[in-house]
Amino acid sequence: MIDAAAVGRELPPVTVTVDAGRLRFFAEATGGEATDLVPPTFLFGLELDRPDPFGWLADLGIDLRTVLHGEQKFVYHSPARAGDTLVLSPRITDVYAKKALQFVVKETAVTRADGAAVADLTSVIVVREAR
């Protein structure tokens, strides 16, 4: 069982400058049109720009082999573009169980270096029992 005391835990922020080449690659991979505007779904990938992007799950005692992607959603406040420096500040906002599955909700505030809001990201991780 995931410890409910994790709710409210802030994870280390990630600061990243959006690379135009990476945006082009993302557009090509997703069949989108290359532009300097950052698609909201691209922001989720930026959060992985840390040395151990899944270390926070291990810190909760979660075996990555039992993890499923549950859901992601976002609220976009202002457009971000290639060359913008963004700060992604994640925190765990909920932990709950339904039948044999456990859920971890993580919310990430994306801002510019001056603190102006860009987007709020929410992702739900589903954890099934280890076999």
Side-chain angles (χ1 to χ4, degrees), residues 66-114:
T66 66
V67 170
L68 302 168
H69 170 70
E71 173 184 338
Q72 65 184 30
K73 60 184 176 181
F74 57 86
V75 176
Y76 212 29
H77 300 292
S78 64
R81 298 182 180 280
D84 285 352
T85 297
L86 304 175
V87 180
L88 294 91
S89 303
R91 67 185 172 94
I92 298 168
T93 57
D94 199 7
V95 172
Y96 59 94
K98 286 185 180 179
K99 297 184 180 178
L101 300 175
Q102 298 177 74
F103 297 79
V104 180
V105 180
K106 181 170 56 76
E107 294 181 2
T108 302
V110 182
T111 61
R112 289 188 176 72
D114 66 1

Side-chain angles (χ1 to χ4, degrees), residues 10-50:
E10 294 183 6
L11 306 176
V14 174
T15 301
V16 61
T17 299
V18 178
D19 178 71
R22 193 169 166 186
L23 270 177
R24 281 191 302 273
F25 180 76
F26 182 81
E28 184 178 311
T30 59
E33 186 174 324
T35 173
D36 71 335
L37 283 172
V38 176
T41 51
F42 183 85
L43 296 170
F44 284 99
L46 292 178
E47 195 172 359
L48 301 175
D49 278 7
R50 62 177 75 233

